[in-house]
Structures are given as C-alpha cells and as structure tokens.
Amino acid sequence: MAEQILIVGATLLDSRGKPAAGLAPGTSNPAQIRVTRGGTARNVAENLGRLGANVRLISAVGDDLIGRRLASQTAECGVNTELVQIVEGENTGAYIAVLEENGALSVALDDVRVLRHITPGYLDRNRSFFKKADMVMMDGSLTPDSMATVVRLCAKYGKPLCADPSSARLAYKLRPFLDQLHLVVPNEGEAAELCEVDFDGHDPEASLDLARCLVGKGVSNVVVTLSNFGLDYATTSETGYIPANYTEMVDSTGTGDAVTAVFIGALFIHGL
C-alpha cells in the first residue's frame, strides 16, 4: 500500500466508565473503567496503520509521560509520528466518556486545548507533506483558522480532503468547508449540526435525508453512522442503508473513527 495518507488532529488519553447496574445521578456508580489511547485523528491513523497504509499524523501532546507514551504507542501501530508536537508546559489532551449499561454513550467531556498548537503557521511550514500526500483527513478538534489552512493546502496541491467532525458541538466548524470535502463521516447528531437541523433521535430514514443534504451542500461522499443501527451513505449517484451486524454492543467509543478509517481505506487504498 504505497499511498500516503496525512491525518491532522487530536491525540488524546481516553477514559471510559461503564456502569455495572445503571447510572444513578449525584453519587458514585460501580463500574468498569478503562484508560486507553484516543483522539479522532489518532484513532483513524492507528486503524489505517494496522491496515498497512502509509500514514503520517500531525498532532500535538503535552511534554508529559502520557503524551510521550501516546506518541510512541501510536508509532508502534505503524503510524509516522515525526510531526506530532510535544509541547513544553502543556498537558496532553483528554477525553472522558460515561457509558450506559448497554455500552452506548451517556455523556462525555474533552479537553483539546493543546491542539491550538497545530497552528496555520505549523501547517504551512510542513506543507511539503501535504504535497506528498495522496489524501488528507482532518478532525473537528482543529481551530477554524487551522481548518482553513488544511483546506487551502489541499486545494493548492489538488489533494482529496476527508473530515470527521469528532462531536456534535464541534461539527459547526466544518460547515464553511463542506463543498471542499471528498468524504465526511459524521454520526447522526453531527450530521444534523452540519445541516443546521434538529436531531430527533435515531432514525435511518431521517439520517439518509441528512446524508443527501450534505451531498447537496457539496460533499462528494457521505457516511452517516447510526450507532448500533448501522450506517447510511450518499454520493452524487447513489444512496443506501447498511444495517449493523453484531451480537452485543460492548463499547461505542471510537467506533465512528474505525468506520472513517475503513472508508478512507476503501476509497484511497483499494480504489473502490
């Protein structure tokens, strides 16, 4: 797999808590708690690296044990991490997810302040890697100015650009660039934010309308993930629904990032 894929965005420490017997507010709940590597961009990069892709990550972590460990573990998965900044005086970003008993997300918190060091200047100084790439992917953790720089560099060098919003509260930052995206992979809530409509709960038919909406706004390929209901997709020539195929949901965290990696691999590695 000689194609070079450049990924720009978050590297985070993920903490997840899954209650043993439901969530009771205002008190401590017995739970299974896991800590692992995360961040949308980093997760996509790792999945692609494990698939054998030639992938490079632009990100930022704090000059601390956690950040250095995340960078080294990501490199061990086949990702080139030479452009991951280790920033003195900063804490590595973090994500905390509280899950429902069935593994679905209840609520989450994230701290991505260190990602402000992925500045337009830093991206411009490393523009040669955009020129060398066969495709570029960014996530919603970037500042609007840095997103604009990624879009500009991709346009300058004629590179297809993919995006994952990362969360519904970050999705709005992608709206100005939708007509520049070759692929976007939001979940239902993120897709509703991108289309500036209300999200009324899981509904494959309504989400297919959201996918069509995003194609209408200029995105070439849209995949809307539907949690444990599967996914909808739309292009300029076709639409469809793929139901989920699983026996038990264990943990939904990071599943959308894996889907993003699969579709990037299908489009740019295998040429589907």
Side-chain angles (χ1 to χ4, degrees):
M1 296 182 182
E3 289 81 358
Q4 296 187 47
I5 301 174
L6 182 64
I7 309 291
V8 189
T11 295
L12 307 176
L13 180 71
D14 275 8
S15 300
R16 315 170 200 173
K18 183 179 179 182
L23 284 171
T27 187
S28 179
N29 292 265
Q32 299 173 2
I33 298 176
R34 295 178 58 204
V35 178
T36 187
R37 53 191 179 271
T40 296
R42 197 220 63 84
N43 289 348
V44 172
E46 176 174 333
N47 278 281
L48 286 167
R50 290 183 179 276
L51 289 172
N54 181 356
V55 58
R56 186 184 304 272
L57 177 64
I58 295 180
S59 190
V61 297
D63 187 10
D64 50 34
L65 180 61
I66 292 171
R68 292 182 178 278
R69 185 70 179 271
L70 287 172
S72 65
Q73 288 178 336
T74 302
E76 290 168 5
C77 298
V79 179
N80 186 314
T81 59
E82 67 180 15
L83 297 181
V84 176
Q85 301 175 78
I86 297 177
V87 186
E88 185 177 355
E90 291 281 4
N91 294 319
T92 296
Y95 172 86
I96 300 174
V98 178
L99 308 178
E100 300 287 354
E101 192 175 353
N102 66 359
L105 180 64
S106 175
V107 68
L109 302 170
D110 66 74
D111 179 354
V112 297
R113 290 173 292 176
V114 69
L115 273 301
R116 70 185 186 279
H117 291 279
I118 306 177
T119 62
Y122 184 74
L123 295 169
D124 267 321
R125 288 194 297 276
N126 290 287
R127 59 187 177 274
S128 63
F129 295 100
F130 286 82
K131 186 175 183 179
K132 295 174 186 176
D134 292 291
M135 63 79 53
V136 178
M137 177 262 172
M138 66 179 177
D139 72 19
S141 69
L142 301 177
T143 67
D145 286 346
S146 292
M147 282 187 177
T149 302
V150 171
V151 171
R152 174 174 57 79
L153 290 172
C154 287
K156 178 178 180 179
Y157 297 119
K159 307 300 180 179
L161 174 61
C162 307
D164 187 314
S166 299
S167 80
R169 296 187 70 172
L170 298 176
Y172 74 94
K173 291 189 284 186
L174 288 177
R175 288 180 195 151
F177 312 117
L178 290 174
D179 63 352
Q180 303 295 312
L181 297 181
H182 187 79
L183 169 70
V184 68
V185 189
N187 63 29
E188 297 163 285
E190 294 161 357
E193 285 294 324
L194 290 172
C195 292
E196 299 184 77
V197 300
D198 292 333
F199 173 53
D200 297 321
H202 296 303
D203 183 339
E205 284 297 321
S207 294
L208 191 55
D209 287 338
L210 292 173
R212 294 189 185 102
C213 166
L214 291 170
V215 171
K217 291 179 179 292
V219 184
S220 299
N221 300 277
V222 179
V223 177
V224 179
T225 59
L226 313 176
S227 185
N228 55 324
F229 293 97
L231 59 84
D232 286 323
Y233 65 90
T235 71
T236 54
S237 60
E238 63 178 312
T239 62
Y241 167 65
I242 301 175
N245 182 10
Y246 69 98
T247 57
E248 178 187 2
M249 179 187 287
V250 177
D251 182 352
S252 64
T253 310
T255 53
D257 306 338
V259 171
T260 300
V262 166
F263 277 90
I264 288 174
L267 288 169
F268 298 100
I269 298 174
H270 299 292
L272 300 182

